[in-house]
Amino acid sequence: MPKVLIATEKPFAAEAAAKIKAELETAKYEYSFLESYTDVGDFHKAVADAEALIIRSDKVDEAVLNAAPKLKIVVRAGAGYDNVDLKSATAHDVVVMNTPGQNSNAVAELAIGMMIYMARGKFNGKSGTELAGKKLVLYGYGYIARLVARMARGIGMEVYAYDPYIASEVMSKEQVKPLSKVEDIFKTGDFVSLHIPANSETKKSINWDLLSLLPNGAMLINTARKEVVDEESLLKAFGEKKGFRYVSDVAPDNLATINELYADRIYCTPKKMGAQTEEANTNAGIAAAKQIISFFEKGDKTFKVN
Ligand code: 3PG
């Protein structure tokens, strides 16, 4: 029976791990867990006899693939697969999948939570501002953005979105106003929330050309990837845009520099927290286990991304 390795530097919640085990045991698959590892060498050793691999943000590069001669499938339990070398996986004849939508609610709730936290001055006891009546623009309109839109509309925000890959009718149906140009995102938003993947097109794409268009007092919310924001431009935005604020799930590399001058206008989670809920771990973990079983039993390649 296929052997599955669950390698998570940031472990799943205990409840989620138990459900993944139950899923694999029912299918009579062998499995082992490698959690909280600090040495990538341990990952290389553990993957040596695995035919299937479940990961989170764990890096699967050429070295991991070389260390895994029996590997047939990698499932990233989550949405973004920028941590997997797709080219190398294809060259090794390894199928890569993600589990789209499974952890979206957790990320959407974090985006809203961070917006409120910062709008209220990090709960410092002084008067802050409300989200109701403000304009929120979503850059990208995938699973997470759609949930953020629904929550924000419930709060009373005016919601806009830009996504060249999604028909504007989909947005209009959900009472979200479609925008037709990237520049309009930044011209329009009191709050701009990023929901784009990190790839060669998007890395460092949130640059000064765009940030300079933000109205004074705007807030940028990043629950996507830190790499999509150009950090020099981010620093400049703090200096040149009155009241500019930034909340991000994982700090930029220049956080210390920003903190020296603008600590009250930035908040970053200490570790990536977007999908850190029992529910998200359970949904994504079970989906990953089921996808692996379906792949081996039926040749099902739904959600293949390479
Ligand atoms: C994702 O892409 O699914 C999220 O960023 C969550 O990543 P994580 O599994 O490392 O928390």
Side-chain angles (χ1 to χ4, degrees), residues 291-304:
Q291 285 172 216
I292 285 171
I293 295 164
S294 187
F295 169 78
F296 283 112
E297 304 307 318
K298 301 185 214 148
D300 184 354
K301 291 186 186 165
T302 315
F303 305 122
K304 181 174 181 281

Side-chain angles (χ1 to χ4, degrees), residues 87-107:
K87 240 188 184 170
S88 182
T90 305
H92 283 80
D93 214 8
V94 170
V95 167
V96 181
M97 293 183 188
N98 65 348
T99 64
Q102 298 292 346
N103 59 17
S104 306
N105 192 68
V107 183

Side-chain angles (χ1 to χ4, degrees), residues 10 56-57 76-80 103 107 224-225 272 275-276:
K10 190 172 59 186
R56 294 186 63 181
S57 288
R76 193 280 190 247
N103 59 17
V107 183
R225 292 288 183 270
K272 196 151 148 242
Q276 281 297 65

Side-chain angles (χ1 to χ4, degrees), residues 16-149:
K19 288 187 175 153
I20 295 168
K21 281 181 196 167
E23 205 63 57
L24 295 171
E25 277 167 15
T26 307
K28 300 204 167 25
Y29 280 29
E30 280 182 62
Y31 61 82
S32 58
F33 279 76
L34 175 71
E35 294 181 323
S36 310
Y37 60 93
T38 49
D39 180 355
V40 78
D42 293 339
F43 187 9
H44 293 173
K45 265 184 228 149
V47 82
D49 60 350
E51 285 150 85
L53 177 61
I54 296 177
I55 49 159
R56 294 186 63 181
S57 288
D58 307 77
K59 205 167 183 172
V60 174
D61 54 12
E62 177 87 23
V64 170
L65 291 158
N66 284 339
K70 296 184 177 168
L71 196 63
K72 304 270 181 308
I73 177 168
V74 176
V75 182
R76 193 280 190 247
Y81 43 86
D82 47 303
N83 50 322
V84 181
D85 183 337
L86 295 186
K87 240 188 184 170
S88 182
T90 305
H92 283 80
D93 214 8
V94 170
V95 167
V96 181
M97 293 183 188
N98 65 348
T99 64
Q102 298 292 346
N103 59 17
S104 306
N105 192 68
V107 183
E109 287 189 12
L110 181 72
I112 296 282
M114 290 200 298
M115 282 161 68
I116 294 175
Y117 180 61
M118 183 55 89
R120 291 298 185 94
K122 304 195 207 177
F123 304 145
N124 62 0
K126 298 182 187 156
S127 288
T129 53
E130 300 180 15
L131 306 189
K134 308 293 188 317
K135 290 178 179 154
L136 166 67
V137 186
L138 305 163
Y139 184 1
Y141 200 63
Y143 290 97
I144 299 166
R146 290 166 86 152
L147 288 165
V148 173

